[in-house]
Amino acid sequence: MSTVDKSTAGLGERQYHIGIAPGEVGTVALLPGDPFRVPLVAEFLSDVREVAHQREHRTMIGMYKGQLITATSTGMGCPSTAIAAEELIRVGVTSLIRVGSSAAVQPGVRPGDLLVSEGTLRNDGTTAAYVHPGYPAVPDLPITIELERQAARIAEREGVAALNGLNASDDAFYAEGPEWIERLRREGVLNIEMESSALFVVARLRGVRAGMICACSSNLVDGASLYAGTKDRLHAGWMASIEAALEAAVSLGLGSPAPVPTRGDAA
């Protein structure tokens, strides 16, 4: 009998889930959840090429202000996010910035506002398989500070708010009942989403950098809902958050200046 060691299986090869091999992407990746939002990142880039699209994981690359940028969708929730992060790290990504949607749980936050995470409450099952229950899920500090700076600048230009604080990562979207939402509000949590817990923990364990900026999709204590005409504001928020993440990547020099590789070159 030979038991598989998943920590070493597939190293140096094309990755099973995301379909990418070493050399096909750059060193910084923007991570929307939805594969159909990867092209929104590509709207900011030049020399764009789709590298792979397997399951929920779609990847495109292109250049932004002289740096090679990768955009890969994680899918919804911590399990698929952990897979995407692990496999991107295996092919050479060293900085991961989530650009997603998130529901506010503090009054006054409006759809389209920009939300930068300073740490995550781990209300998920995936990270429990990785670390002790008390292990913190925190982003890289320089990335977070730069995301906050860029978000404030862009938010002022766009006439929205930029807020920073703690968020929660939940596993069960429809299990977020009034008691849970009210508890988060009382404890000063700014917003809820479903991916950052896994992203931050995996990044720390693997020695790479991670951050998150989200667009507010709804407000669970003010009654502002995706189902009540906020989608245009959310789309504008996505574009603003992507711009902030790209500008942070350039400012910190996270992307490689290499030309866009070809699939043949990377094989």
Side-chain angles (χ1 to χ4, degrees):
M1 184 174 69
S2 179
T3 302
V4 172
D5 180 359
K6 287 191 176 182
S7 69
T8 59
L11 290 176
E13 302 174 5
R14 186 169 304 283
Q15 297 302 295
Y16 180 78
H17 298 92
I18 63 174
I20 300 169
E24 290 184 344
V25 295
T27 55
V28 60
L30 272 58
L31 308 177
D34 185 347
F36 293 100
R37 275 192 275 123
V38 172
L40 297 186
V41 180
E43 289 185 24
F44 290 87
L45 310 179
S46 61
D47 302 316
V48 174
R49 187 171 62 83
E50 183 166 292
V51 178
H53 191 176
Q54 293 190 177
R55 306 184 187 193
E56 63 266 54
H57 305 299
R58 184 179 189 180
T59 297
M60 301 178 82
I61 57 174
M63 302 300 294
Y64 184 79
K65 296 187 176 180
Q67 294 193 21
L68 179 59
I69 303 293
T70 302
T72 298
S73 52
T74 62
M76 288 188 290
C78 282
S80 62
T81 298
I83 288 170
E86 292 272 27
E87 294 191 358
L88 284 167
I89 293 164
R90 288 179 172 207
V91 297
V93 174
T94 56
S95 297
L96 303 151
I97 302 177
R98 169 162 152 71
V99 286
S101 306
S102 186
V105 290
Q106 293 298 322
V109 185
R110 302 177 63 200
D113 287 347
L114 303 181
L115 312 173
V116 177
S117 174
E118 294 178 338
T120 300
L121 187 160
R122 292 171 45 217
N123 190 40
D124 72 282
T126 301
T127 58
Y130 279 92
V131 291
H132 183 276
Y135 189 96
V138 290
D140 176 81
L141 183 58
I143 289 179
T144 302
I145 291 172
E146 189 59 22
L147 285 173
E148 291 176 352
R149 187 176 77 85
Q150 297 293 344
R153 178 182 63 81
I154 294 168
E156 182 177 12
R157 184 193 73 200
E158 298 297 321
V160 297
L163 302 102
N164 320 311
L166 300 176
N167 65 276
S169 269
D170 286 350
D171 271 347
F173 182 89
Y174 286 106
E176 293 169 344
E179 291 184 2
W180 175 240
I181 293 167
E182 179 59 20
R183 177 177 176 178
L184 294 177
R185 185 199 64 77
R186 291 196 310 268
E187 294 177 354
V189 172
L190 177 62
N191 55 295
I192 311 174
E193 47 80 68
M194 300 180 67
E195 291 80 27
S196 64
S197 181
L199 177 64
F200 295 162
V201 168
V202 169
R204 289 284 172 175
L205 293 178
R206 304 302 179 228
V208 303
R209 306 169 74 177
M212 180 176 76
I213 179 169
C214 285
C216 177
S217 59
S218 57
N219 190 311
L220 301 180
V221 299
D222 277 354
S225 170
L226 268 177
Y227 308 106
T230 65
K231 289 187 177 181
D232 289 343
R233 291 181 60 86
L234 175 57
H235 184 274
W238 285 335
M239 301 307 281
S241 66
I242 291 167
E243 183 183 354
L246 289 170
E247 289 293 326
V250 169
S251 177
L252 295 171
L254 303 179
S256 54
V260 177
T262 67
R263 199 172 182 90
D265 291 340

